[in-house]
Amino acid sequence: MKFAQLRYIKIIMNAFMSIAAFSIGSSIFSLLKSIPVPPWQNFLASSGFGDVLSIPVNMVSNLYAVMVVIAVGYEVAKSFNRPPLAGAMVSFGAFMILTPFTANVRIVNDAGETITGMASGVISLSALGSQGIFLAMFCGIVGARLYVLMLDKNIKIKMPDSIPPSVAGMFETMIPAGLVFILFMVLRMGFAATSYGTMQSFVYTILQKPLMGIGANPVGAALYLMAGKLLWMFGIHGDMLTYATLGSIRSAATQANMAAFAAGEAVPYLEWTLLTPFTNIGILGLTILLLFSKSTQYKSLGKLSIATSIFNITEPVMFGFPIILNPVMAVPAVITPGLTLALTSIAMRIGIIAPSTGVALSNVIPTPIYLWMSTNSISGLIWGCLMVVLSVVIFFPFFKISEKMALKEEAETEAEEV
């Protein structure tokens, strides 16, 4: 709880939540493009409508870092009771100062020859998208915090009270914003003298890319899910805490995958596409067992919660069984999501099932259907059903222990009533 209440953790969480609507909105178009029905896919390819559906996806994925820096700067200034819009704009200016104005380009000349090379005065969309997210967070926090600090030290133009607030605010922002921009210009020139060339290249190479690689393999992604479920066993909302810790990394990977999907390329971070469908698959397996339980209370809970569990809403079982603070169910609850994700990742990598395309889907889509749509293949649907069966098998022996205790309690209660 103390970790989640830290000022800058709350700022980052609030910032990413504030721009979530853009990702959700673009995922609708991503969802439409990924419907695995052959006639629909043929129509998208022949009519060019598939390229049209990719436009909103590209817009969000290629400008995601811009949204992040504005949102973070806004939340920083708001947290210190300073004008949030000004904080957002100062942060955005700082980010653009550090953004490289060179990019690899491909040009077709009049003779039809393709020329590739590095061009100046051009901003790469990747710098404004997934590759720039960590730099955007840095600029959002540092840029807005410096702006707030200067206001706190009265480093500003003080206007008379007779001046309208909107005009006075403009003049008060001038000096702090200018000083922040100067500091970031010095930072840019300093990195230009290094082998990295730009701060964005430094941050991406040293920090962002290795961290994103944590989940870009079966083991790392499995541990990510298992850590969340382990925290649940102690009464802590583990999924929320792991998201607070690694949410920015997950967002960067998601945006990179969405950009690859829109471009028709293979996803660079396969395992990050599997976190959503396998987060709660174990609870679905347990709910299926509840439906066939000999215990009256368990059967009733199964009937009440099967609909929600199918759509990955697990609170009725988590709190009603309960899973939380239940040492008997700790082993299957922690192991199941990690094991099913790791097996699916390996199956995709060796070609048993089609790999995920990178399409962004809602987290309430049932796991088998999710895998069907994310792979655009019936193999995903079949594999998803097998993983649900596997979750039932893993939970079964532990469920029988709990069921035996529940039947004993029901028998004792019935005897007392008699």
Side-chain angles (χ1 to χ4, degrees):
M1 290 177 63
K2 288 182 179 179
F3 176 80
Q5 291 301 315
L6 292 174
R7 181 192 293 270
Y8 291 101
I9 295 298
K10 291 177 64 177
I11 285 172
I12 293 173
M13 289 179 62
N14 292 338
F16 276 94
M17 288 298 294
S18 68
I19 60 178
F22 295 99
S23 294
I24 295 172
S26 67
S27 69
I28 295 174
F29 298 94
S30 181
L31 175 62
L32 290 174
K33 186 179 177 181
S34 67
I35 296 175
V37 177
W40 172 249
Q41 292 295 323
N42 293 336
F43 167 74
L44 294 180
S46 61
S47 65
F49 190 57
D51 295 333
V52 175
L53 291 177
S54 295
I55 293 175
V57 181
N58 282 323
M59 183 273 295
V60 172
S61 60
N62 290 330
L63 296 178
Y64 199 72
V66 175
M67 300 179 188
V68 168
V69 69
I70 292 175
V72 172
Y74 185 97
E75 291 294 334
V76 169
K78 180 181 176 181
S79 175
F80 288 94
N81 297 316
R82 291 298 184 178
L85 182 58
M89 292 299 99
V90 170
S91 297
F92 173 68
F95 173 73
M96 293 307 297
I97 288 174
L98 294 181
T99 298
F101 281 75
T102 56
N104 283 312
V105 297
R106 184 176 61 184
I107 301 173
V108 179
N109 60 20
D110 295 337
E113 299 173 337
T114 301
I115 303 173
T116 61
M118 187 69 69
S120 60
V122 179
I123 300 178
S124 171
L125 286 178
S126 62
L128 304 180
S130 60
Q131 291 188 14
I133 289 180
F134 271 47
L135 182 65
M137 292 169 58
F138 170 81
C139 294
I141 292 175
V142 177
R145 186 64 185 93
L146 289 173
Y147 163 73
V148 169
L149 181 62
M150 292 179 192
L151 290 182
D152 292 342
K153 300 296 183 180
N154 287 317
I155 306 176
K156 60 183 179 181
I157 300 175
K158 182 65 177 177
M159 302 299 293
D161 295 337
S162 59
I163 301 297
S166 58
V167 178
M170 177 185 67
F171 281 95
E172 288 183 353
T173 302
M174 287 175 58
I175 292 180
L179 291 175
V180 170
F181 292 163
I182 291 173
L183 290 173
F184 275 80
M185 286 173 62
V186 172
L187 196 59
R188 179 184 179 116
M189 290 186 292
F191 274 95
T194 68
S195 59
Y196 293 99
T198 66
M199 185 174 179
Q200 185 175 88
S201 176
F202 171 79
V203 171
Y204 182 75
T205 303
I206 300 298
L207 183 63
Q208 181 172 331
K209 191 174 181 179
L211 286 176
M212 290 171 67
I214 291 174
N217 61 80
V219 176
L223 290 176
Y224 176 89
L225 285 187
M226 292 168 67
K229 296 308 176 187
L230 181 62
L231 291 170
W232 266 115
M233 295 302 104
F234 297 94
I236 301 170
H237 197 312
D239 300 331
M240 183 63 70
L241 188 58
T242 53
Y243 182 81
T245 307
L246 298 175
S248 56
I249 303 171
R250 184 171 179 176
S251 295
T254 300
Q255 297 306 317
N257 287 338
M258 287 180 62
F261 169 72
E265 301 171 353
V267 295
Y269 301 102
L270 175 63
E271 281 72 20
W272 288 102
T273 67
L274 303 175
L275 295 178
T276 296
F278 292 110
T279 298
N280 297 312
I281 189 173
I283 306 303
L284 176 57
L286 176 58
T287 308
I288 293 173
L289 289 171
L290 289 172
L291 287 174
F292 299 95
S293 176
K294 299 176 182 178
S295 167
T296 303
Q297 58 178 319
Y298 281 178
K299 184 180 289 289
S300 298
L301 178 61
K303 292 178 180 178
L304 289 171
S305 58
I306 184 61
T308 58
S309 294
I310 288 175
F311 294 98
N312 299 316
I313 300 170
T314 62
E315 282 75 7
V317 177
M318 292 293 292
F319 294 96
F321 186 81
I323 298 295
I324 295 174
L325 300 176
N326 187 337
V328 175
M329 306 307 294
V331 173
V334 173
I335 288 179
T336 303
L339 179 61
T340 52
L341 182 147
L343 289 175
T344 303
S345 171
I346 294 171
M348 287 182 175
R349 288 183 177 275
I350 64 178
I352 295 177
I353 57 174
S356 295
T357 61
V359 59
L361 301 172
S362 169
N363 59 1
V364 298
I365 295 178
T367 297
I369 298 177
Y370 191 108
L371 290 178
W372 179 33
M373 301 187 75
S374 69
T375 60
N376 199 20
S377 169
I378 194 66
S379 64
L381 177 63
I382 297 172
W383 182 268
C385 292
L386 291 175
M387 291 299 98
V388 172
V389 173
L390 178 60
S391 72
V392 172
V393 173
I394 295 173
F395 266 88
F396 181 76
F398 302 92
F399 169 75
K400 297 303 290 186
I401 295 173
S402 296
E403 183 185 51
K404 183 178 180 180
M405 292 188 291
L407 289 171
K408 182 179 179 181
E409 291 176 0
E410 291 174 6
E412 292 175 351
T413 301
E414 186 178 351
E416 290 177 0
E417 292 176 351
V418 171

